[in-house]
Amino acid sequence: MALRFHPGAVPRRWRGVLGAILLLAGAAALGDRILAGPVRGWAERAMNRHLVGYQVRIARARPHFWRLALALEGVTLTQVGHPEPPVADIGALRFSLIAHELVRFRVAGDLTLDHPDLHVNLDQIQTEARSGKRLQDKGWQEAVESVFPFKLNRVEVRQGSLLYLSGDPGDKPLRLTRLEMEARNVRNIRAVKGTYPSPVSLDGTLFDQGRIHFQGEADFLREPHVAVRGALSLERVPLDRLDPLGRSVQLSTSGGTLSAHGQVAYGPEAREAHFTEVLLEDLTLDYTSRAATRERERAQARMVAAAARNVRNRKGLLLKVDTLRLARARLGFENRSAKPPYRVFLTGVHMDLANLSNQSSQGRSTFRVRGALMGTGTVEASGGFQPAAEPDFDLRLRMEDTDLTRLNPLLLAATGVDVAQGTLSVFTELAVREGRVEGYFKPLVKDLRIYDAAKDRHKPLGLRTELRLLQVLAGLFKSGSTKEVAAVTHLSGPAGSPRYGTWEALGSLLRNGLIQAIRPGFLGPPRAAPLTHRHR
């Protein structure tokens, strides 16, 4: 049997209440429409009064006074100095008051950002850097509070994105997409100050393929700035997107992914990034030196050394990686200013680095590396180091059966001589502690043939004669039983300038010691060296 509604069935007094409610709802809806234009203009002016160096444009305002809510749609934020592209396009800013907090005589609200798309390019970053004002002092909080002067309890981001454009049309953009973020209890409504009362979560897609996830907690009222801590994970983030940034420091990258898992903390009292595992896979990384960039390279090296000194044993800062792994990498160095230019590289590089930290109290770091020099032979290295005011490291290197002809451009640049045949092996042990170095270099050259009629037929007669003479001299140094050219250089003495850090000292020792070791048995008499050398 069908149910029918009879107006007479509703008591007369309730008809009046129902009519009043419908009338109020209709009036509220009409009022929202009438006030939409004035509210849009008021919100735009109010926000722009507080912003420094930026300007807001709002396409539409949708007030919902009957449910204590306000939506600002089509919000565009531009930098005054560089208005194109806009810094942000926000689908909507949605403000609403929390009804159950009003019952408790507390006024608090929620803010939701729908589809916020942030765009940043190099010009905008440089303008920001020249402004002389910190980014957090540009009036962002004041601008939001000017249109919603209530404490925020919950902030949510839906389907957000962050895009960095390098300015080169051929470069892929750095992009964080599908960003979902939520922060609750933002204004500490139910918490004691000094704790981390606000749960925070973030998920997104990094560089179109990788994933980023953060789960933690924050204190948004901590003075003098916000404090946050939690677990951060990165999954297979493609590293080739960093190539535009790397080129500014003569680095080029190709392929490769990054995965990392750890804990991070940022606050007034301490800052920490402690990763249990960092994995770099299938990375190709090259450093290129040019005559035109030589001074810039030296300045960059000084900056890197200064930055390392600045964070070493710095109070309140912990940077630590329990395990750093490099798998199937290709690492190279190219010197285009040499005559002739040359490139040296390692292939199939696998590295395990344990207990890497900026704090000496965390103990000694150790490493093991294996690969192939110029794609031939084998290279194995191991050792350890510790952050200290003076260089403190040890190194054991074993390189066997590298094809010398692959190193001809390097040999020509360093010695003026190339070879027609031969293999190179190097055995090294070094230790630097308390300002002194002890160790040795032992290179072995097998099956060496310097002069070759086909290889050297276009060279001047004088140079061909010199190469023949070098071939004879090299034969004098060969072992009668193994037909190897061998020399051992022992190093003992002061480690060098106290300005050296661990890596600068290691590089200097490898360069000077190896050349000194090779020359006696391969390319003629040795030059003077800064350390004490004993040749055998």
Side-chain angles (χ1 to χ4, degrees):
M1 181 176 64
L3 296 177
R4 295 183 180 180
F5 175 75
H6 298 282
V10 180
R12 183 173 299 177
R13 60 179 179 176
W14 290 110
R15 291 182 204 171
V17 173
L18 181 60
I21 292 174
L22 294 175
L23 180 62
L24 288 174
L30 181 61
D32 288 348
R33 287 181 173 273
I34 294 174
L35 293 175
V39 168
R40 186 204 66 80
W42 161 79
E44 194 174 273
R45 291 190 300 271
M47 297 180 77
N48 284 326
R49 275 199 303 268
H50 294 280
L51 292 175
V52 179
Y54 293 85
Q55 196 169 45
V56 163
R57 290 288 178 266
I58 301 172
R60 294 171 302 280
R62 297 187 186 277
H64 304 285
F65 295 116
W66 61 276
R67 58 184 179 89
L68 305 176
L70 170 65
L72 303 177
E73 299 178 348
V75 179
T76 302
L77 177 68
T78 59
Q79 189 183 57
V80 174
H82 290 279
E84 292 295 335
V87 174
D89 287 308
I90 304 173
L93 292 173
R94 303 188 187 279
F95 303 90
S96 61
L97 288 178
I98 304 173
H100 66 265
E101 292 293 342
L102 293 175
V103 174
R104 299 177 184 180
F105 301 101
R106 294 169 175 162
V107 181
D110 295 341
L111 169 61
T112 300
L113 291 83
D114 281 340
H115 294 88
D117 299 324
L118 306 183
H119 314 88
V120 182
N121 60 29
L122 186 59
D123 290 337
Q124 292 167 337
I125 293 175
Q126 292 173 339
T127 298
E128 187 63 47
R130 290 192 299 266
S131 69
K133 202 174 185 70
R134 297 185 307 170
L135 189 61
Q136 58 264 41
D137 295 332
K138 293 300 181 75
W140 311 107
Q141 182 174 338
E142 293 83 355
V144 172
E145 291 178 348
S146 67
V147 297
F148 193 72
F150 307 107
K151 291 183 177 181
L152 291 175
N153 178 58
R154 178 172 169 270
V155 176
E156 182 180 6
V157 175
R158 298 173 180 170
Q159 289 296 304
S161 69
L162 172 62
L163 181 69
Y164 171 77
L165 302 170
S166 67
D168 188 334
D171 292 338
K172 294 181 180 179
L174 303 182
R175 194 195 319 261
L176 173 62
T177 56
R178 300 176 185 173
L179 177 63
E180 300 284 338
M181 190 206 72
E182 182 183 35
R184 302 192 305 275
N185 197 24
V186 173
R187 302 297 288 184
N188 297 7
I189 292 175
R190 302 186 187 88
V192 178
K193 291 179 66 175
T195 62
Y196 291 81
S198 305
V200 178
S201 64
L202 180 148
D203 282 283
T205 300
L206 195 54
F207 304 166
D208 295 333
Q209 300 175 20
R211 298 291 302 175
I212 180 172
H213 174 75
F214 176 81
Q215 187 71 45
E217 51 199 8
D219 180 0
F220 292 99
L221 296 183
R222 186 77 61 90
E223 294 292 344
H225 58 74
V226 65
V228 62
R229 66 183 182 186
L232 175 67
S233 65
L234 303 171
E235 295 288 347
R236 299 193 61 81
V237 177
L239 294 174
D240 56 355
R241 300 297 178 88
L242 300 178
D243 190 56
L245 301 179
R247 286 201 300 267
S248 64
V249 290
Q250 291 75 57
L251 287 173
S252 62
T253 61
S254 175
T257 61
L258 166 67
S259 299
H261 306 276
Q263 299 284 328
V264 295
Y266 175 84
E269 298 82 10
R271 301 176 185 183
E272 177 180 328
H274 183 183
F275 288 92
T276 55
E277 183 179 18
V278 175
L279 175 62
L280 298 165
E281 299 179 279
D282 304 307
L283 174 65
T284 297
L285 180 67
D286 283 283
Y287 182 87
T288 302
S289 177
R290 301 176 176 86
T293 60
R294 184 61 52 81
E295 288 303 318
R296 186 170 66 189
E297 293 168 26
R298 291 170 180 164
Q300 290 166 350
R302 290 192 294 269
M303 290 175 60
V304 170
R309 289 193 297 269
N310 186 46
V311 301
R312 184 178 59 224
N313 293 321
R314 185 173 177 178
K315 186 178 180 181
L317 176 65
L318 174 62
L319 306 174
K320 186 174 182 180
V321 177
D322 292 343
T323 304
L324 172 63
R325 289 193 171 93
L326 193 62
R328 302 178 300 278
R330 183 184 180 99
L331 309 178
F333 170 77
E334 184 176 6
N335 188 347
R336 294 188 181 179
S337 63
K339 294 183 180 180
Y342 64 86
R343 180 171 181 262
V344 180
F345 58 88
L346 288 169
T347 59
V349 179
H350 291 260
M351 180 186 75
D352 289 295
L353 196 160
N355 197 39
L356 179 65
S357 175
N358 70 315
Q359 298 289 342
S360 57
S361 62
Q362 298 294 313
R364 197 169 186 81
S365 304
T366 60
F367 65 89
R368 297 185 66 87
V369 183
R370 70 180 187 274
L373 180 62
M374 309 301 287
T376 68
T378 60
V379 175
E380 294 183 359
S382 63
F385 56 92
Q386 185 157 345
E390 293 185 345
D392 184 346
F393 66 87
D394 59 272
L395 169 69
R396 291 165 295 282
L397 172 67
R398 183 184 185 94
M399 182 180 78
E400 295 186 275
D401 300 327
T402 295
D403 186 353
L404 267 175
T405 61
R406 301 282 186 94
L407 295 171
N408 271 337
L410 170 62
L411 294 174
L412 283 170
T415 67
V417 175
D418 58 1
V419 300
Q421 178 183 302
T423 61
L424 173 66
S425 299
V426 177
F427 305 90
T428 299
E429 289 192 14
L430 289 173
V432 176
R433 287 188 181 87
E434 298 179 353
R436 289 189 60 82
V437 58
E438 299 290 340
Y440 70 88
F441 289 92
K442 183 180 179 181
L444 300 176
V445 181
K446 294 173 62 176
D447 302 321
L448 177 64
R449 190 169 79 248
I450 298 175
Y451 178 77
D452 181 81
K455 173 177 75 73
D456 300 318
R457 67 180 182 275
H458 297 300
K459 294 177 181 178
L461 176 61
L463 181 56
R464 294 203 304 272
T465 303
E466 180 182 349
L467 293 176
R468 286 176 179 272
L469 179 59
L470 285 174
Q471 180 69 60
V472 173
L473 290 175
L476 296 178
F477 285 91
K478 285 183 179 179
S479 166
S481 58
T482 63
K483 304 303 181 183
E484 296 174 341
V485 180
V488 179
T489 298
H490 292 271
L491 307 177
S492 179
S497 169
R499 294 174 299 164
Y500 276 5
T502 295
W503 300 110
E504 297 98 321
L506 177 58
S508 177
L509 288 171
L510 287 175
R511 287 192 302 270
N512 294 331
L514 186 57
I515 293 297
Q516 293 298 320
I518 291 177
R519 279 184 177 276
F522 181 28
L523 300 175
R527 298 174 183 173
L531 300 172
T532 300
H533 297 270
R534 299 194 303 277
H535 297 290
R536 183 173 65 198

